[in-house]
Amino acid sequence: MITIKNHAQIAKMREAGALLHEVLEQIKRKIEPGITTKELDRYAEKLIRSHGAVPSFLNYEGYPASICASVDSQVVHGIPSSSTVLKEGQIISIDSGLILDGWQSDSAFTVGVGEISEQAQRLIDVTEESFFAALEVAREGYRVSDIGHAVQSYVEQRGFSTVRALCGHGIGREMHEDPSVPNYGQPGHGARLRSGMTICIEPMITAGGYDVKTLGDGWTVVTSDGSLCSHYEHAILITDGEPELLSLPGYHKEEKR
Ligand code: MF3
Ligand code: CO
C-alpha cells in the first residue's frame, strides 16, 4: 500500500532527512586511507543517537551495524569491520538510515579514498547524475517506471550498467514501503506518482555488467564480474512540481545545474 503523507508527517520526515544529511556529511569527512569501516560505523551510531534518533539499519533483519560500507566491487550492504582498512585509490559507498520521532530517512553516497582513477571518478559522477536525471520525472503525473527508465538510459548511454536485482522504495514510518522503485525499465508503467508520496531513489551503477551476487556472510552484495560499483540515494517528496530532497536540505535544481 502506498501512503500519502500529510503536512505534519512531511515536516517530521524533513527533520529526519536533515539529521541524516548532517550525519553522512560528518562521516564523509572521516574517509581517508587508514581508517576502518568499523570506526566509521561507531562514529555514525554515536552521532545518530546523540541527536535523539535511532539507527534504522542496526538489527534490521539481523543486520549488525548502523551503516553499510561497500568498497570497490561491493554494491551494497558491506558490513563494517575492524579488518577493512581503507586504502588510497578505493571507492567506498556509505549508506545509512535513521528514525527520528517515528519517521525514517535513508540516504547513500560514494566517494574516493584519497586519489582515485579517472574511470572511478567518472562512475561516481555518472551515478549521481543519473539520480538527478531521474528527478526530472519524479513528480506528480509520471509513473514509477519513468524513474528507472531515466536512470537506465542515462547510465547506459555513458557505457555503464544499472543493477537490476536491487531497487529504491517508498519510505515513511517504515524504511521500506511501497512502491518498489527499480533503476531500469520501460517508461509508463507502475503506480502513478502523486504529491505527498515519499520515496527513495537509489541508483547502483557498475563499470561492468549488471549481475550481482551475495557473499557467504548473507549480506554483502558484489558485482558478479568484479567491476567497480557506485551507489547514490536520497529520500524525496513528490510534489506537483520539483521534488523536495528530504535528505539533501537546501537543494535547488537551479543551483546544482
Ligand atoms: N539502505 C538500504 C536501502 O536503501 C537498506 C539497508 S538494509 C540494512 O534500502 F539491513 F542494512 F539495513
Ligand atoms: Co534505500
Side-chain angles (χ1 to χ4, degrees):
M1 189 189 66
I2 296 174
T3 57
I4 298 295
K5 278 75 176 179
N6 65 32
H7 281 290
Q9 295 168 331
I10 290 164
K12 297 274 192 194
M13 291 193 67
R14 207 173 266 139
E15 277 183 44
L19 176 56
L20 181 58
H21 173 67
E22 184 57 29
V23 168
L24 289 177
E25 284 299 307
Q26 297 295 338
I27 298 172
K28 200 181 279 176
R29 285 194 203 128
K30 290 188 106 64
I31 294 176
E32 57 179 16
I35 196 161
T36 70
T37 53
K38 183 78 182 177
E39 288 172 277
L40 296 175
D41 181 57
R42 290 242 168 83
Y43 180 68
E45 180 176 357
K46 255 193 219 150
L47 209 51
I48 291 170
R49 293 198 193 278
S50 74
H51 286 91
V54 177
S56 56
F57 289 14
L58 189 60
N59 301 321
Y60 178 84
E61 292 179 10
Y63 187 74
S66 300
I67 63 170
C68 299
S70 309
V71 177
D72 288 344
S73 62
Q74 296 178 349
V75 177
V76 287
H77 305 166
I79 301 173
S81 163
S82 53
S83 57
T84 305
V85 184
L86 297 185
K87 293 178 199 64
E88 178 102 18
Q90 290 179 322
I91 66 170
I92 180 168
S93 70
I94 301 291
D95 188 352
S96 191
L98 57 78
I99 311 166
L100 184 64
D101 218 357
W103 292 89
Q104 301 257 357
S105 200
D106 179 10
S107 176
F109 67 85
T110 301
V111 289
V113 181
E115 286 277 305
I116 60 171
S117 70
E118 250 176 58
Q119 163 79 350
Q121 188 60 54
R122 174 92 181 124
L123 174 66
I124 291 172
D125 292 345
V126 167
T127 304
E128 288 189 23
E129 288 161 15
S130 73
F131 170 90
F132 289 98
L135 280 191
E136 301 290 326
V137 293
R139 58 165 75 188
E140 190 157 272
Y142 287 90
R143 288 177 182 270
V144 167
S145 86
D146 295 329
I147 291 173
H149 180 71
V151 170
Q152 182 178 15
S153 27
Y154 192 88
V155 305
E156 288 184 355
Q157 278 165 26
R158 288 159 180 81
F160 295 125
S161 299
T162 177
V163 171
R164 302 188 181 199
L166 296 148
C167 298
H169 48 90
I171 184 166
R173 282 200 177 275
E174 303 296 330
M175 173 160 59
H176 294 141
E177 298 185 354
D178 288 337
S180 179
V181 183
N183 295 299
Y184 70 98
Q186 294 302 315
H189 295 278
R192 216 170 258 291
L193 299 175
R194 284 184 51 201
S195 186
M197 279 173 63
T198 47
I199 61 173
C200 287
I201 300 178
E202 50 178 315
M204 289 151 269
I205 307 303
T206 87
Y210 63 74
D211 200 44
V212 299
K213 61 184 183 187
T214 305
L215 297 184
D217 62 17
W219 282 105
T220 314
V221 178
V222 299
T223 56
S224 296
D225 59 10
S227 60
L228 288 184
C229 186
S230 174
H231 182 201
Y232 189 74
E233 173 178 19
H234 283 297
I236 73 164
L237 168 70
I238 302 295
T239 76
D240 55 7
E242 298 295 325
E244 180 179 338
L245 275 68
L246 298 168
S247 53
L248 190 57
Y251 167 80
H252 293 291
K253 183 184 168 188
E254 298 72 30
E255 291 164 22
K256 168 92 190 179
R257 292 292 152 108

